[in-house]
Amino acid sequence: MKRKIYFNTVTRERRAAIVENGHVVELMVERPTENRIVGNVYIGRVVNVLPGMQAAFIDIGRDKNGFLYRDDLLSFHLSEEEEEIKKQRNISEFVTKGQELLVQVTKEGFGTKGPRLSGVVSLPGKYSVYMPEGGYVGVSRRMGSDEERERWRTTGEALLKDNEGMIIRTVCEGKDAVIIEHDLHFLRTSWQKVWQESKDKKAPALIHQGSGLIERMMLDFSLDQVDDIIIDNPNDYQTLKALLAPYAEVDDKVHFYHDKENIFTAYGIDKELDKALRRQIWLKNGAYLIIDQTEALTVIDVNTGKFTGKTDLHDTVRKTNLEAAKEIARQLRLRDTSGIIIIDFIDMKREEDREYVLEAFKRGLKYDRTKTNVVGLTGLGLVELTRKKVRQSLQASLSKACPTCREQGTVLSDEAQAYKIERMIWEYRGMDQEAILVELPSSVSTVLAGLKGELLKQLEESVGFRIFLSPNKHMSEESYAIRYVGEVAEATKQLERLKKKA
């Protein structure tokens, strides 16, 4: 498999895309306004204990309290009681209101829900995950043999001290134990420094910040698994090289993109992302998928469309379902769809065909880094599966309910539209002209300019020319237009004319 990673970090919205065999399969987005907190470690205070839900609400100093289940408590995790006896214990036996706890965010808050917390802190490294109070050694199930997993389990146990724990990643397979020693030493030293600095802090308090976009992405892959890494920000390019230098020779794989055209546009990634926001997805053979996301679940319907086959109905249905199975597996990763998912493949009469398509779908999910559980076929012949929710879906991140069609469809959110226009403006950097005038919806203009226009000023300093925005409350969703490029004086006149028309 050919795998490339593209980083678009030159503008405020930082993006990373994974491309496998020429297809975009994952997108990660990091915005300055989102303040991502997964991986952050806090000293929190218990504000409420809910015995009926076996959970507690923890104040971590944010707008919404975190949610901590009994099974994720450190004291519950480390209890040496037999599992059956331990599970009969109530959460009120482990925590009390007002108590201070060390917790880590494992899942962002969504909608009205606060962030999900764990009392077992874990720090990800290149080859392992270090748990200061984990109490066990875990080895990736994706390693090829039981002997290899046992070798690493024994190695990990020999390296740990006191009640430490660790999880050994798949990339260690076949490698020497020295890589884990270096990884563990670095993570242990980092945690000890954090712990020392946090001793005088009062709850609620942040004591450790989770990794940024580049660090998170590169922790999940070794350079052996990636053919090329292309990045468009010169500072991040140097950071990336320094980050990877201790592990391998990076000059052959890490490349700086310096053209004016946006990197995602140049490599066709934006086009794939536009498709990923659509309800209908066409397949290569002329068949298509309909993907409907509701609050309760996601339903995917497979249709033959323009594909009529060449031999008989059985062959047409089988080929369509196989093509759909591959594309659905990719779309689930790309859209970051989570929760309950139901797939309605075209009805197949033969049991062997149903099993064949189901196995093809499972193979397509093999490289999905998010935990997915294929339950199987229901009595009605529907494929049922669940996919773990780690972060917001692509649709939730980039779109909003369409106000024109009474929220029956979706359009780009104001934030996504503003960042899209910013990338367009960025492509004009280095031009000889003094100014650019952009007409855009009023709600998008507010996001792009920022409070009191400070974000617009920062963008002007970065690109080297004046930017005039003409807000238009009558402009349709997802619309914008460049009205003038040239001298400042003329741009000012054009802006006044647009204001009179608006």
Side-chain angles (χ1 to χ4, degrees), residues 182-313:
H182 292 158
D183 220 31
L184 179 60
H185 175 73
F186 173 76
L187 294 170
R188 180 188 283 148
T189 304
S190 299
W191 175 250
Q192 288 172 348
K193 182 180 178 183
V194 168
W195 188 240
Q196 282 296 123
E197 292 174 351
S198 68
K199 285 186 176 180
D200 296 328
K201 292 186 177 180
K202 302 290 183 182
L206 171 67
I207 68 168
H208 171 71
Q209 187 87 37
S211 304
L213 176 68
I214 293 174
E215 290 82 359
R216 290 198 310 275
M217 185 68 80
M218 298 321 302
L219 280 174
D220 290 337
F221 295 100
S222 70
L223 281 183
D224 296 338
Q225 299 172 305
V226 181
D227 294 284
D228 290 293
I229 303 169
I230 302 97
I231 188 165
D232 62 358
N233 185 314
N235 293 329
D236 288 340
Y237 170 65
Q238 296 300 332
T239 299
L240 186 58
K241 289 181 71 174
L243 180 69
L244 297 175
Y247 302 104
E249 291 293 329
V250 298
D251 288 338
D252 293 338
K253 291 194 175 184
V254 181
H255 310 286
F256 176 59
Y257 175 83
H258 51 75
D259 289 353
K260 284 188 178 181
E261 186 179 23
N262 184 270
I263 185 172
F264 273 28
T265 305
Y267 288 98
I269 297 170
D270 274 331
K271 193 179 291 184
E272 288 294 314
L273 297 183
D274 288 340
K275 290 179 184 177
L277 294 175
R278 297 176 190 171
R279 180 172 177 256
Q280 185 178 36
I281 299 293
W282 286 97
L283 305 179
K284 288 181 180 179
N285 62 4
Y288 65 89
L289 310 174
I290 295 293
I291 303 176
D292 285 318
Q293 289 183 264
T294 71
E295 194 167 338
L297 50 79
T298 298
V299 180
I300 303 175
D301 187 33
V302 182
N303 298 276
T304 52
K306 301 173 185 176
F307 182 59
T308 55
K310 294 182 179 179
T311 53
D312 56 21
L313 178 61

Side-chain angles (χ1 to χ4, degrees), residues 20 24-26 283 289 291 300 321-337 341 343 345 358-369 372 374 385 387:
E20 293 175 355
V24 183
V25 294
E26 284 187 47
L283 305 179
L289 310 174
I291 303 176
I300 303 175
N321 282 339
L322 282 173
E323 185 74 23
K326 296 175 188 175
E327 183 61 24
I328 291 169
R330 184 175 80 93
Q331 288 293 327
L332 292 180
R333 289 178 69 187
L334 180 56
R335 294 169 183 246
D336 219 343
T337 304
I341 301 160
I343 306 171
F345 285 106
L358 191 59
E359 285 304 312
F361 177 57
K362 289 178 180 177
R363 286 196 300 273
L365 294 171
K366 181 181 177 183
Y367 298 102
D368 193 343
R369 297 186 297 140
T372 304
V374 180
L385 65 144
R387 192 169 183 272

